[in-house]
Amino acid sequence: MAAGAPRIFVSHLSGVAVFDPTGDQVGRVRDLVVMLRVARRPPRVLGLVVELATRRRIFLPMTRVTGIESGQVITTGVLNVRRFEQRPTERLVFGELLDRRVTLVESGEPKEEVTVLDLSVQQLPARRDWEIDRVFVRKGGKGGAFRRKGETLTVEWSAVTGFALEEHGQGAESLLATFEQLRPADLANVLHHLSPKRRVEVAAALDDDRLADVLEELPEDDQIEILGKLKEERAADVLEAMDPDDAADLLSELPTEEQERLLSLMQPGDAADMRRLMSYEERTAGGLMTTEPIVLRPDATVADALARVRNADLSPALAAQVYVCRPPDETPTGKYLGTVHFQRLLRDPPYTLVSAIIDDDLQPLEPDAPLPVVAGFFATYDMVSAPVVDDAGALLGAVTVDDVLDHMLPEDWRETEFHLTEDDKDGEDDEGDAPEGDGRDLLEDDTNDDSDDTHDGREGLGKGEEAGSHDA
């Protein structure tokens, strides 16, 4: 960018698309990597953390960025796709600097504590280097739900101190606002890449429903870690908000005593569903099913069914069909009569009784049907959801295709990238002659070709610029 380039606040960069010179999108910005410097000098922006379509996160040096404008980042097209690994001297802007409590300095003396809401970056004139030059802060103590928000102001980086200090109980309001539009699976990926401290702090700041959706998408170790850091009453509330099958899977990984404590804090109906699901083997239809499908009585109409299907909280797979059963309507129901598919509901008049259009040709799954049988059923009949019925003919729940896939993929599939073959995975660490790490050291340092420093534009800091606290 040319001299006098406009100032860019980092919140505007979250999720921004990254393009190569030909206009092809290579990924999206997920964070910025900076290095703090001594004597309150503005931190140098080393590069961007870019998430590729495969969910792999790579490091994109700022020297490879040719433009940031109109909601997009343009690169030179030269990318090293090694997985990003944060180094000890680096700080992540979204993950670590937002929501920090720092101190305003006036005439060299500490004045008052403020909360960091945003930071701005700017390219230095006639250079390719970028720096954080401004900090957008809010005065006042740590905000609670009923605390009045304080005055906000933008100050020079040199006007604050405390970024290098470890902070306990760091907030997450600004970070969550930055990622507000992310789908639960993508927000889960963000949480997975945060430090354990920030992961717990951000999870604690989510409301119960949002945290439940995110927990369902996290690897098992992260689920257990976050749940264990919540107060027991809130942990029980979050489990109730999760899909019953996912909550039961998570509970089954906890020690028996902890299971019982959490179940005792849940609503009796929800606790009963959890106990019932946990009684089945994990890789069976009973262990895979949810206990909350759409159940209608025979005298319900198509209009009634469509009203239930419109519920925004239902997953597409659960909304694809309704199950017609005799009372009671809650699982386990009375006698299961059959299924009505969503497309059939669209074809018939609203006043039509669902009992007149049920599909009763397909045999439902038995609760002890093993995973291969369940998967074969879905593949044979092109189903996205299937009923699970016991020997007495009662509907126990429904298995959805996403849960089948979840259990057929490798256990660590949430922690790996999409679209990688086994050969790709085996060879990714042997790519070329790249050194150990993410390959950032291979990038040119045009400022000093003969330097012994590494060549990713990060360690070429001269004396007096070594990484560390600017306010130590």
Side-chain angles (χ1 to χ4, degrees):
M1 300 177 82
R7 182 173 295 115
I8 302 169
F9 280 91
V10 297
S11 60
H12 297 161
L13 294 177
S14 174
V16 165
V18 179
F19 294 91
D20 65 18
T22 64
D24 293 328
Q25 183 175 335
V26 297
R28 291 188 177 274
V29 176
R30 291 305 182 205
D31 218 319
L32 289 83
V33 183
V34 301
M35 182 178 289
L36 301 182
R37 298 195 280 186
V38 298
R40 292 212 291 269
R41 298 180 61 189
R44 181 180 177 188
V45 182
L46 305 177
L48 307 174
V49 178
V50 175
E51 185 176 272
L52 305 179
T54 62
R55 294 181 69 180
R56 170 174 290 198
R57 293 187 169 207
I58 66 170
F59 177 77
L60 174 63
M62 294 307 292
T63 54
R64 299 298 186 193
V65 174
T66 60
I68 301 178
E69 51 193 19
S70 301
Q72 59 186 8
V73 175
I74 309 298
T75 75
T76 62
V78 180
L79 295 177
N80 189 305
V81 295
R82 281 195 178 276
R83 188 180 295 107
F84 168 73
E85 294 181 6
Q86 185 180 358
R87 296 176 178 176
T89 57
E90 298 171 344
R91 297 291 182 271
L92 298 177
V93 173
F94 295 149
E96 299 179 72
L97 300 189
L98 291 187
D99 299 297
R100 284 192 65 89
R101 298 287 298 165
V102 295
T103 304
L104 273 179
V105 176
E106 190 173 286
S107 301
E109 296 296 329
K111 183 180 178 183
E112 63 178 306
E113 280 199 339
V114 294
T115 301
V116 177
L117 303 181
D118 208 343
L119 303 105
S120 70
V121 297
Q122 193 169 35
Q123 190 173 21
L124 299 181
R127 297 179 62 186
R128 292 188 298 171
D129 289 343
W130 292 70
E131 289 182 345
I132 292 180
D133 64 338
R134 298 284 194 279
V135 186
F136 181 56
V137 299
R138 182 177 63 223
K139 293 183 178 181
K142 291 188 177 181
F146 303 102
R147 184 181 292 276
R148 184 178 178 181
K149 300 295 185 182
E151 174 191 358
T152 57
L153 65 158
T154 302
V155 298
E156 299 278 350
W157 174 269
S158 60
V160 295
T161 183
F163 274 102
L165 302 176
E166 183 176 357
E167 180 181 3
H168 298 284
Q170 183 177 346
E173 179 182 345
S174 299
L175 176 62
L176 290 178
T178 301
F179 295 119
E180 183 179 7
Q181 301 303 318
L182 290 184
R183 294 174 181 268
D186 294 326
L187 182 54
N189 197 36
V190 170
L191 258 65
H192 178 66
H193 287 88
L194 294 176
S195 67
K197 168 183 173 293
R198 284 302 280 153
R199 184 158 51 241
V200 171
E201 290 168 344
V202 173
L206 293 168
D207 63 58
D208 289 350
D209 290 336
R210 181 70 160 161
L211 179 55
D213 291 340
V214 171
L215 276 180
E216 292 171 4
E217 305 296 338
L218 280 169
E220 183 181 290
D221 290 345
D222 291 344
Q223 290 180 328
I224 294 172
E225 175 192 47
I226 290 173
L227 198 70
K229 296 294 184 180
L230 300 177
K231 292 182 179 179
E232 288 189 341
E233 291 79 5
R234 190 181 179 210
D237 291 340
V238 171
L239 286 168
E240 288 177 344
M242 294 176 66
D243 287 342
D245 53 320
D246 291 313
D249 289 343
L250 177 51
L251 273 172
S252 65
E253 299 300 326
L254 303 178
T256 304
E257 292 183 1
E258 190 171 349
Q259 288 180 19
E260 292 303 321
R261 283 199 304 271
L262 291 172
L263 287 168
S264 67
L265 294 171
M266 298 172 67
Q267 295 293 328
D270 291 321
D273 285 343
M274 295 299 105
R275 294 182 191 279
R276 183 153 55 90
L277 288 171
M278 292 167 63
S279 68
Y280 297 108
E281 292 292 331
E282 180 181 1
R283 298 172 70 84
T284 64
L288 297 172
M289 70 182 180
T290 177
T291 56
E292 297 178 350
I294 302 177
V295 178
L296 294 173
R297 298 185 182 188
D299 58 355
T301 65
V302 166
D304 296 327
L306 290 174
R308 294 285 299 278
V309 167
R310 289 191 189 98
N311 184 350
D313 293 332
L314 288 174
S315 68
L318 276 182
Q321 54 202 49
V322 300
Y323 302 101
V324 183
C325 306
R326 300 197 183 281
D329 301 341
E330 302 292 331
T331 57
T333 67
K335 182 176 176 58
Y336 167 74
L337 300 177
T339 299
V340 182
H341 302 282
F342 176 62
Q343 286 184 321
R344 183 62 190 268
L345 294 174
L346 295 177
R347 290 197 297 263
D348 283 86
Y351 53 80
T352 305
L353 295 180
V354 292
S355 57
I357 56 174
I358 58 174
D359 179 359
D360 55 4
D361 292 338
L362 291 179
Q363 289 295 317
L365 294 168
E366 297 178 353
D368 58 353
L371 179 59
V373 172
V374 176
F377 179 91
F378 276 79
T380 301
Y381 299 110
D382 297 325
M383 304 289 284
V384 294
S385 179
V388 180
V389 176
D390 65 12
D391 293 337
L395 179 70
L396 301 178
V399 178
T400 56
V401 67
D402 55 303
D403 287 317
V404 175
L405 290 173
D406 192 4
H407 285 75
M408 294 190 71
L409 289 168
E411 290 187 5
D412 63 345
W413 73 268
R414 295 185 189 277
E415 302 176 63
T416 58
E417 295 87 4
F418 296 149
H419 314 310
L420 288 182
T421 65
E422 287 301 316
D423 291 340
D424 294 332
K425 192 180 299 183
D426 292 340
E428 69 181 25
D429 290 332
D430 301 322
E431 183 179 348
D433 296 321
E436 183 179 355
D438 59 6
R440 281 169 277 181
D441 296 340
L442 290 179
L443 300 174
E444 279 189 326
D445 183 354
D446 294 335
T447 61
N448 188 356
D449 291 339
D450 297 324
S451 170
D452 289 334
D453 292 325
T454 53
H455 298 298
D456 60 0
R458 300 163 62 207
E459 285 104 342
L461 303 174
K463 290 184 178 180
E465 294 190 27
E466 59 271 15
S469 168
H470 63 285
D471 50 7

